[in-house]
C-alpha cells in the first residue's frame, strides 16, 4: 500500500484558491483512480485515468475539477476556486491491469481543508 | 444499479474474540469482485481481502476471511482473534463486471470496529 504515494498529506486552502493533489502510482501500475471521501462517508469514485488518457470521469463534478496523468510524472487532481464543500479526503488508487483479481491499492490520502 | 450496504455503523468486540462485519450487495451482473479495506484513525486505506464472484472457495488472508454467500448476495468479513490494532473503520466495496472499461469501486458506508481489552 505504501507504494502509492500521495502529496501533500494535508492541505489548507482559502475559499477561491486552487488545490493541486499529486499521486504517483505503484511501480508498474498504469491505471490510476481518484476517490473522494466526505466526512463520515465512504469513498466515492471520481475519475479513472491511464497514461495521457481520461477513461472515465463520470464521478467528477462538472466544474472546477480536472485530472490528468501525463506521460511523465504523477497524476494531478486539480480543484479550482475551492469552496468549503470541497473539504474532504482525496484518495488515489492504482492497479497494474484491469484483469480479474487485480488488486486496487490506495495511497494514504490527501486531506483538503477549505477555510 | 449496483449498491453496497453495511448495516452496522459501529461494533464492539473483546480482544481475542472473533467478529463478523456484515456486507450485502446488489447487482444484476453475474461477474463482479468484492473487496474489504481497513481505514485506521491515521486515514490510509489498507487492502485486506478480495473475492471474485466466480471463485469457488471463500477467500482467506491470515486472520481475515470472507464469508461469501452468493445466493444471499452477502460478503461478510470475519476477523479471528481480534487485536487492539484491529480498531478501525472497515469498508466493503464492489467492482463492476470483469471486462468493463473501468474498475471503479463502489463503497459501503463503513463499520467502525472497536476492540476492547
Amino acid at each position: 500500500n505504501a507504494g502509492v504515494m500521495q502529496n501533500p498529506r494535508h492541505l489548507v486552502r482559502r475559499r477561491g484558491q486552487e488545490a493541486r493533489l499529486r499521486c504517483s502510482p505503484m511501480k508498474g501500475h498504469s491505471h490510476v483512480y481518484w476517490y473522494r471521501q466526505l466526512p463520515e462517508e465512504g469513498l466515492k469514485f471520481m475519475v479513472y485515468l491511464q497514461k495521457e488518457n481520461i477513461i472515465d470521469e463520470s464521478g467528477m463534478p462538472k466544474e472546477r475539477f480536472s485530472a490528468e496523468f501525463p506521460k511523465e510524472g504523477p497524476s494531478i487532481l486539480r480543484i479550482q476556486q475551492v469552496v468549503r464543500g470541497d473539504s474532504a479526503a482525496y484518495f488515489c488508487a492504482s492497479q497494474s491491469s484491469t484483469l480479474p483479481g487485480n488488486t486496487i491499492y490506495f495511497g494514504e490520502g490527501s486531506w483538503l481543508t477549505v477555510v | 444499479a449496483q449498491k453496497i450496504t453495511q448495516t452496522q455503523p459501529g461494533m464492539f468486540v473483546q480482544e481475542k474474540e472473533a467478529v463478523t462485519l456484515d456486507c450485502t450487495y446488489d447487482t444484476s451482473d453475474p461477474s463482479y469482485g468484492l473487496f474489504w479495506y481497513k481505514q485506521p484513525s491515521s486515514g490510509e486505506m489498507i487492502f485486506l481481502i478480495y473475492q471474485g464472484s466466480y471463485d469457488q472457495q471463500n477467500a482467506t488472508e491470515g486472520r481475515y476471511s470472507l464469508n461469501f454467500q452468493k445466493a444471499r448476495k452477502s460478503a461478510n468479513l470475519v476477523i479471528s482473534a481480534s487485536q487492539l490494532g484491529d480498531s478501525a473503520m472497515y469498508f466493503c466495496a464492489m467492482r463492476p463486471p470483469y471486462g468493463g472499461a473501468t474498475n471503479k469501486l463502489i463503497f459501503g458506508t463503513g463499520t467502525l470496529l472497536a476492540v476492547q481489552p
Side-chain angles (χ1 to χ4, degrees):
Chain A
N1 295 348
V4 180
M5 304 301 293
Q6 288 188 248
N7 67 83
R9 287 295 311 277
H10 298 276
L11 182 64
V12 180
R13 284 289 177 265
R14 296 185 186 281
R15 281 178 294 170
Q17 291 184 320
E18 178 180 287
R20 279 185 178 238
L21 308 176
R22 286 174 290 279
C23 169
S24 296
M26 286 182 74
K27 188 175 181 180
H29 287 194
S30 59
H31 302 261
V32 166
Y33 304 81
W34 284 95
Y35 288 79
R36 177 165 65 175
Q37 184 180 28
L38 294 171
E40 311 298 326
E41 293 186 12
L43 279 69
K44 296 282 194 310
F45 168 80
M46 298 181 75
V47 62
Y48 162 44
L49 310 104
Q50 293 181 25
K51 282 287 186 182
E52 300 186 275
N53 288 306
I54 297 174
I55 308 300
D56 182 348
E57 56 182 347
S58 57
M60 287 274 273
K62 295 289 183 235
E63 298 177 349
R64 303 187 297 106
F65 285 73
S66 62
E68 62 177 15
F69 188 18
K71 188 176 180 181
E72 301 290 339
S75 175
I76 306 284
L77 179 67
R78 182 182 179 205
I79 312 171
Q80 295 178 289
Q81 299 175 331
V82 296
V83 301
R84 289 222 172 104
D86 296 333
S87 296
Y90 292 84
F91 285 91
C92 172
S94 75
Q95 193 178 26
S96 60
S97 80
T98 57
L99 289 175
N102 248 269
T103 298
I104 299 169
Y105 291 98
F106 283 81
E108 294 184 327
S110 290
W111 268 256
L112 171 65
T113 302
V114 180
V115 298
Chain B
Q2 294 166 330
K3 186 179 177 183
I4 290 279
T5 302
Q6 294 180 256
T7 57
Q8 306 154 312
M11 286 193 71
F12 286 100
V13 65
Q14 288 294 125
E15 196 178 5
K16 299 181 185 177
E17 292 185 351
V19 62
T20 298
L21 306 182
D22 294 341
C23 172
T24 58
Y25 58 92
D26 188 15
T27 181
S28 56
D29 298 300
S31 64
Y32 48 87
L34 295 157
F35 295 77
W36 276 92
Y37 287 88
K38 171 184 178 182
Q39 187 177 40
S41 58
S42 51
E44 69 268 34
M45 292 288 287
I46 302 169
F47 166 74
L48 295 179
I49 198 166
Y50 168 80
Q51 180 86 41
S53 61
Y54 291 124
D55 292 344
Q56 294 297 313
Q57 293 186 329
N58 286 349
T60 59
E61 290 285 349
R63 293 186 300 111
Y64 304 109
S65 61
L66 204 152
N67 184 3
F68 182 45
Q69 297 188 41
K70 199 169 181 177
R72 294 185 178 183
K73 293 189 176 178
S74 73
N76 299 339
L77 177 70
V78 181
I79 305 174
S80 62
S82 297
Q83 301 172 355
L84 295 178
D86 294 335
S87 295
M89 183 71 88
Y90 288 81
F91 289 99
C92 180
M94 178 168 60
R95 186 190 62 203
Y98 303 145
T102 179
N103 274 268
K104 61 187 179 187
L105 297 176
I106 300 162
F107 281 83
T109 51
T111 296
L112 183 60
L113 176 67
V115 180
Q116 295 179 312

